[in-house]
């Protein structure tokens, strides 16, 4: 039988003879609120069971066989990504004290090299080097390639120099499970100290004199909940716990303010937060609370010299900024008032200026407050993303910011905070394609569309869509399209430039981003309307976007592939159940598709801390019934599904591998259509493969699958696959 996509496109995979693996079924009953569910694939959650590993390997073998014919197209796309990327490159140096800090990538090497170079007399503009060559006089601090040697996976959890620039605190993970080992390096001698602290969380903070580093550790559910004090030169066993968060809804983070005057602990749940401060000059003293937590009040603290700035939502849905005295930090005086049309995202304090980061009309923006007035940093493109860059110096007069759009490569600017003048420091190089064709932004067009939500969930909502295509792309429904979505945690998927996406656009694709509810693109209410007992709005919004693109001639259902990851993977599973006919294929990365089972188990990482996002089905029958009605794994039927490609990591602690494994097994046993493919990285976690060349290879495979699934025979003929 020749597989067909839901929209009817025939996929030329009839030559395949390998049979997909069939997971054994071991009925496992689960009863909550009087409702009994039989889970035939619960056994896959046992990572130590040899049958589990054998099944995952069998799935990998099947996926390799089914996608083997894509090898030429995959190699073509990988070559395009590699050719267009300046492999030896240098980040724009950031000044901290007497040093410029930056990172370099080297052609042929997987990971970055982290460096610094002394600031020279009268040197104001960051020094740069052609073709990513080392700066003259550079001091190499850390080489990720040397650290990663002999490991299939490598990730840095923290990289922090002490205020006096004597020490470097860094942490490494070689499994992908986000358990890091913290080490201290003497930057004068280059020696790594005997200090070694295992099983830490990402991030750390230094005391002002560099004598002490603060770090966090996690509980059995991978929740960062304790902050520890470590004095340099002492054994980890002698470290002192300075803060513990007993409430399982809260995660704990530690940092040093930009002014370097205060160490800061933030304990935050989805809805509520609390901040504690400590004079960074007295690291052995006790932290004191800024304002005791109140349920539903979320606030951040920024030290601004003789006062504090408080970004909060107390009586302000879209947040406001207040000032508070150091002597009475719990009393807040409004500075930037709440606006119904503007979501305040952050505030950066400097000695003479304040920068406000905000979102309005689905776009991000920056506003600089001076003593004599204010101005906004404005850009002219119809869709874009602008945001703060690295700004470590409190006395700065220049504000580093980043800018990108769907056609403008990532750009780094310095903004003169006194005048608003922008200076472009660097734009991401895009080298010619393998055939010598140079990238020209004018060859592409970007648009903002608005999709009306219709049907049973109609409420007058219009969902913004950002999209890009080559000029001349037909609007008659014949163009293939990749539609991306996320829609959770108030995380916004803003428009940005992507070299891999060029490989799709040059194949005639439309690339679109659905800014659906559950994200934060249109303000706080956009988030609250897509969570808890309104979560289905996220899914109907995405379906509305897909249907709108087809109705407006951008694409058609049999040429539209959907893509999402993590909570966006839950979105993929939900829309596959609700409207399989709307998609030619679906790609789901580390998908949260067995959400109800996970959220019912308080011992797992994504449970108690997530109840404020999804609801508490363990104790609330209404939430249980609502989640059961949309959770992808629970709702697989015998309908014809489009082809689905799921990717996961064996060591993922955020969305465990067994969720997509169970989903694929049930789809294959129950559903029609397909085929259904699962690829498990056996040495990776939530972020997939860690090295850049390895990541490009994986992305090339996914894009090749997308091109064949959405593009049909015409594109296959063009690529020779």
């Amino acid at each position: 039988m020749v597989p067909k996509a839901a929209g009817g496109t025939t996929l030329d995979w009839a030559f395949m003879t390998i049979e997909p693996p069939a997971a054994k079924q071991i009925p496992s009953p689960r009863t909550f609120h009087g409702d009994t569910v039989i889970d035939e694939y619960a056994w896959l959650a046992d990572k130590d069971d040899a049958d589990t590993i054998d099944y995952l390997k069998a799935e990998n073998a099947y996926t390799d066989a089914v996608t083997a014919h894509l090898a030429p197209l995959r190699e073509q796309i990988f070559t395009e990504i590699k050719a267009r990327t300046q492999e030896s490159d240098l980040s724009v140096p950031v000044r901290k004290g007497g040093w410029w800090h930056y990172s370099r990538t080297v052609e042929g090497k997987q990971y970055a090299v982290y460096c610094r170079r002394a600031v020279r007399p009268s040197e104001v503009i960051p020094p740069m080097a052609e073709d990513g060559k080392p700066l003259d006089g550079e001091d190499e601090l850390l080489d990720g390639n040397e650290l990663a040697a002999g490991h299939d996976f490598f990730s840095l959890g923290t990289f922090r120099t002490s205020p006096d620039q004597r020490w470097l605190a860094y942490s490494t993970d070689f499994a992908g499970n986000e358990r890091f080992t913290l080490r201290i390096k003497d930057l004068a001698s280059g020696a790594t100290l005997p200090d070694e602290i295992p099983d830490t969380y990402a991030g750390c903070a230094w005391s002002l004199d560099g004598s002490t580093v603060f770090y966090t550790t996690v509980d059995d559910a991978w929740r960062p909940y304790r902050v520890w004090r470590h004095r340099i030169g002492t054994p980890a066993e002698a470290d002192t716990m300075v803060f513990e968060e007993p409430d399982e809804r809260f995660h704990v983070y530690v940092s040093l303010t930009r002014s370097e005057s205060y160490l800061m602990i933030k304990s935050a749940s989805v809805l509520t937060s609390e901040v504690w401060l400590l004079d960074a000059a007295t690291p052995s003293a006790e932290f004191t609370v800024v304002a005791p937590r109140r349920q539903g009040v979320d606030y951040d603290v920024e030290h601004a010299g003789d006062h504090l700035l408080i970004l909060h939502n107390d009586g302000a849905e879209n947040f406001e900024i207040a000032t508070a005295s150091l002597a009475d930090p719990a009393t807040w005086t409004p500075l930037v008032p709440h606006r119904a049309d503007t979501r305040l995202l952050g505030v950066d304090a400097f000695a003479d200026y304040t920068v406000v980061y905000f979102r309005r009309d689905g776009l991000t923006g920056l506003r600089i407050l001076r003593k004599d007035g204010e101005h906004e940093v404005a850009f002219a493109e119809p869709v874009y993303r602008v945001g703060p860059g690295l700004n470590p110096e409190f006395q700065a007069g220049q504000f580093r910011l980043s800018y990108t759009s769907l056609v403008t490569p990532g750009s780094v600017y310095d903004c003169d905070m006194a005048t608003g003048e922008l200076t472009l420091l660097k734009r991401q190089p895009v080298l010619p394609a393998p055939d010598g064709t140079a990238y020209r932004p004018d060859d592409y067009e970007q648009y903002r569309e608005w999709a009306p939500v219709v049907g049973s969930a109609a409420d007058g909502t219009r969902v913004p869509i950002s999209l890009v295509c080559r000029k001349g792309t037909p609007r008659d429904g014949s163009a293939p399209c990749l539609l991306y979505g996320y829609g959770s945690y108030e995380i916004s998927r803003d428009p940005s430039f992507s070299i891999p996406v060029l490989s799709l656009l040059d194949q005639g694709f439309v690339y679109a981003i659905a800014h659906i509810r559950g994200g934060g693109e249109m303000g706080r209410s956009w988030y609250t309307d897509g969570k808890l007992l309104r979560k289905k709005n996220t899914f109907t919004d995405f379906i509305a976007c897909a249907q709108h693109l087809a109705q407006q001639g951008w694409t058609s259902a049999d040429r539209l592939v959907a893509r999402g990851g993590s909570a966006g993977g839950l979105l993929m599973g939900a829309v596959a159940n609700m409207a399989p006919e709307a998609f030619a294929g679906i790609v789901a990365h580390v998908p949260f598709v067995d959400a109800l089972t996970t959220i019912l188990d308080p011992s797992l990482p994504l449970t108690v801390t997530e109840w404020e996002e999804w609801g508490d089905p363990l104790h609330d029958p209404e939430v249980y019934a609502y989640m059961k009605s949309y959770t992808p794994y629970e709702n697989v039927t015998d309908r014809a599904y489009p082809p689905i490609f799921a990717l996961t990591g064996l060591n993922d602690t955020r969305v465990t591998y067994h969720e997509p494994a169970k989903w694929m097994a049930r789809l294959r046993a129950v559903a029609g259509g397909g085929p259904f493919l699962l690829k498990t990285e056996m040495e990776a976690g939530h972020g997939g493969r860690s090295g850049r060349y390895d990541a490009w290879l994986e992305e090339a495979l996914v894009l090749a699958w997308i091109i064949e699934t959405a593009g049909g025979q015409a594109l296959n003929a063009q690529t020779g696959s």
Side-chain angles (χ1 to χ4, degrees), residues 215-229:
Y215 63 92
T216 56
T217 57
V218 300
D219 62 13
D220 291 339
W222 257 264
R223 176 182 68 97
Y225 77 123
R226 287 175 173 170
V227 178
W228 299 79
R229 180 174 58 226

Side-chain angles (χ1 to χ4, degrees), residues 87-391:
E87 296 178 68
S88 292
D89 204 0
L90 185 80
S91 69
V92 179
V94 174
R95 182 166 181 167
K96 182 70 175 91
W99 298 89
W100 295 106
H101 287 263
Y102 58 96
S103 63
R104 288 191 292 105
T105 53
V106 180
E107 183 175 356
K109 294 188 176 182
Q110 296 267 30
Y111 301 98
V113 181
Y114 300 87
C115 309
R116 68 179 182 180
R117 200 213 72 182
V119 177
R120 294 172 180 171
S122 303
E123 194 169 48
V124 177
I125 304 297
M128 297 295 291
E130 294 183 1
D131 300 326
K133 294 178 180 177
L135 294 181
D136 178 39
E138 86 170 13
D139 181 10
E140 185 178 299
L141 305 185
L142 209 64
D143 186 337
N145 302 286
E146 293 180 1
L147 292 173
H151 300 279
D152 293 323
F153 180 92
F154 165 72
S155 176
L156 274 180
T158 190
F159 182 93
R160 293 282 186 274
T161 53
S162 58
D164 61 6
Q165 298 290 301
R166 178 182 179 186
W167 311 110
L168 168 67
Y170 71 95
S171 62
T172 54
D173 167 23
F174 298 114
N177 61 6
E178 300 182 45
R179 291 279 182 99
F180 298 90
T181 298
L182 181 66
R183 295 179 174 87
I184 309 297
K185 184 175 182 179
D186 184 335
L187 296 182
S189 68
T192 299
L193 303 187
D195 309 51
E196 185 173 298
I197 309 169
D199 293 329
T200 67
Y201 193 67
C204 72
W206 285 98
S207 64
L208 182 59
D209 63 2
S211 67
T212 307
V213 65
F214 292 79
Y215 63 92
T216 56
T217 57
V218 300
D219 62 13
D220 291 339
W222 257 264
R223 176 182 68 97
Y225 77 123
R226 287 175 173 170
V227 178
W228 299 79
R229 180 174 58 226
H230 173 80
R231 288 192 59 82
I232 304 305
T234 64
E237 295 77 16
D239 291 354
T240 302
M241 185 177 67
V242 299
F243 186 89
E244 181 174 20
E245 176 53 73
D247 192 327
E248 293 180 293
R249 298 174 300 162
F250 286 73
H251 286 201
V252 173
Y253 311 91
V254 62
S255 61
L256 181 65
T257 61
R258 178 181 290 103
S259 65
E260 298 182 343
S261 296
Y262 289 95
L263 289 151
M264 184 162 58
I265 293 174
K266 181 176 181 179
S267 185
S269 72
V270 173
L271 299 176
T272 308
S273 63
E274 182 178 68
V275 176
W276 296 67
L277 296 179
L278 170 64
D279 186 335
T282 57
S284 60
E286 299 293 325
F287 283 82
T288 58
V289 68
V290 171
R293 70 186 63 173
R294 287 181 287 148
Q295 179 63 28
V297 175
D298 186 10
Y299 73 93
D300 281 310
V301 175
E302 179 82 349
H303 179 233
D306 61 355
H307 64 282
L308 301 174
L309 294 177
I310 312 292
L311 175 70
H312 70 90
N313 68 339
D314 187 12
E317 181 183 42
N318 275 333
F319 288 72
E320 69 176 22
I321 298 172
T323 61
S325 69
L326 294 168
D328 184 17
T331 299
W332 301 344
T333 302
L335 175 67
V336 179
H338 173 267
R339 285 178 52 170
D341 66 345
T342 303
R343 168 69 160 96
L344 300 182
L345 301 173
V347 58
D348 287 333
F350 300 90
D352 297 312
Y353 306 95
T354 299
V355 181
V356 179
Y357 181 35
F358 65 90
R359 181 179 300 281
R360 185 186 304 136
D361 297 329
L363 297 174
T364 50
L366 293 168
R367 185 189 315 155
I368 297 176
L369 309 182
R370 307 184 309 271
K371 294 176 181 178
D372 60 349
E374 63 179 65
H375 63 269
E376 289 189 4
V377 180
F379 293 90
E381 294 185 83
V383 292
Y384 58 83
R385 182 184 72 197
V386 61
L390 295 174
N391 291 280

Side-chain angles (χ1 to χ4, degrees), residues 84 406-407 437-447 468-473 497 501-506 509:
R84 285 172 165 143
L406 291 170
V407 301
T437 303
Y439 172 69
R440 298 190 309 170
D442 289 345
D443 291 340
Y444 304 85
E445 298 177 312
Q446 54 186 347
Y447 300 89
V468 62
C469 61
R470 284 193 70 94
K471 286 184 177 177
T473 299
F497 181 80
V501 166
L502 289 180
S503 293
L504 291 182
L505 301 182
D506 291 346
F509 268 72

Side-chain angles (χ1 to χ4, degrees), residues 575-718:
V575 301
N577 289 332
M578 296 169 67
E581 71 286 348
F583 307 99
I586 291 174
V587 178
H589 296 263
V590 291
F592 187 38
V593 285
D594 194 16
L596 181 57
T597 303
T598 294
I599 298 298
L600 283 167
D601 186 350
S603 69
L604 295 177
L606 288 174
T607 301
V608 177
T609 59
E610 302 289 308
W611 282 345
E612 291 180 338
E613 177 75 20
W614 310 98
D616 177 5
L618 185 62
H619 302 102
D620 189 331
E622 183 182 15
V623 171
Y624 175 88
Y626 187 76
M627 289 193 70
K628 188 182 178 186
S629 72
Y630 72 70
T631 301
Y633 179 65
E634 303 280 345
N635 289 281
V636 173
T637 69
D638 61 359
R639 298 176 67 181
Y641 283 69
I644 297 176
F645 190 2
L647 300 95
T648 188
L650 183 63
N651 298 324
D652 191 343
T653 58
R654 297 173 183 262
V655 180
T656 47
Y657 71 91
H658 67 263
E659 295 205 24
K662 291 168 60 178
W663 183 42
M664 288 293 103
R666 180 165 284 180
L667 280 166
R668 200 169 287 134
V670 174
F676 310 117
L677 306 181
L678 173 66
K679 185 176 185 346
T680 303
E681 291 294 341
M682 307 303 282
E683 298 289 341
H686 197 64
R689 304 181 76 173
S690 58
R692 58 174 176 162
Y693 296 102
D694 292 340
W696 294 348
L697 276 170
E698 183 171 286
E699 179 68 2
L701 172 62
V702 172
L703 294 184
W705 186 89
I706 289 170
I707 289 171
E708 178 172 74
T709 302
Q713 298 303 313
L715 283 179
N716 290 342
Q718 291 174 16

